[in-house]
Amino acid sequence: MKKRISFFTISMLLGGMTYAGVAVNPVQLYIRDIAKQKSTTLTVESIDETEKKVFEVKALSWTQDEFGKNILTPDDSVMINPKSFILKPYKQQTIRIGFSRPIASIVEGGQEKAWRIILEEMPQVVKDNSVNFLFNFNLPFLSVSKMI
């Protein structure tokens, strides 16, 4: 049983994330070398959804206070393309994430800087008497000059 749980945990950490028919890959985004890498990509895929879904993507600067509480603030230094998209059944969408100015001016002194990339499904017209569940993915995005 322990081997099965360990395998499941490792596969979740290394692979993408699938949630109710929508897969996101990778689940952690990095700019590993600010001198060489200018952007990264994220892929969202409809695995077994039969209806289209509309998503919006945004980036928030991510810090923590002295008590470890997350602080998310809007940050216009991160560029996302596309910022919104329609995910059709059994299709995928690639999202490019980069910066609006040179990374060195954003990441001061080669220190690590962190953001959260938020993918939110937008509500659509509800059919009859039904309940709709909306997807919301919150992924870490880190830039560091060298990986430790």
Side-chain angles (χ1 to χ4, degrees):
M1 183 67 175
K2 286 183 180 180
K3 287 182 181 179
R4 189 177 295 173
I5 291 171
S6 296
F7 175 75
F8 177 74
T9 303
I10 291 170
S11 65
M12 287 300 291
L13 291 173
L14 296 177
M17 175 173 44
T18 302
Y19 182 73
V22 176
V24 176
N25 193 23
V27 294
Q28 295 181 2
L29 304 164
Y30 294 99
I31 300 289
R32 296 184 189 273
D33 186 344
I34 62 173
K36 296 179 182 176
Q37 186 181 357
K38 306 297 182 204
S39 64
T40 188
T41 58
L42 173 67
T43 302
V44 182
E45 183 176 6
S46 173
I47 303 296
D48 60 4
E49 289 294 317
T50 57
E51 299 288 326
K52 69 179 181 181
K53 297 189 173 297
V54 179
F55 285 92
E56 284 188 0
V57 187
K58 61 184 172 184
L60 300 171
S61 179
W62 177 28
T63 57
Q64 292 183 328
D65 65 14
E66 63 272 10
F67 303 109
K69 182 180 175 187
N70 289 333
I71 300 170
L72 300 174
T73 54
D75 188 343
D76 62 354
S77 65
V78 177
M79 292 180 59
I80 298 170
N81 188 25
K83 287 189 173 199
S84 63
F85 61 92
I86 297 172
L87 185 62
K88 295 180 181 177
Y90 304 102
K91 299 292 181 184
Q92 68 180 20
Q93 176 69 49
T94 300
I95 302 162
R96 184 169 210 84
I97 301 166
F99 297 96
S100 60
R101 58 184 195 265
I103 300 172
S105 69
I106 298 166
V107 182
E108 298 167 8
Q111 298 295 316
E112 179 179 287
K113 184 157 171 96
W115 295 267
R116 298 300 287 192
I117 304 299
I118 313 290
L119 281 86
E120 291 181 308
E121 182 183 356
M122 298 291 101
Q124 298 185 49
V125 177
V126 178
K127 297 177 182 177
D128 300 325
N129 295 329
S130 62
V131 176
N132 285 349
F133 293 94
L134 302 175
F135 296 101
N136 184 329
F137 297 98
N138 187 327
L139 309 170
F141 174 43
L142 306 170
S143 71
V144 292
S145 59
K146 295 180 182 177
M147 290 302 292
I148 298 172

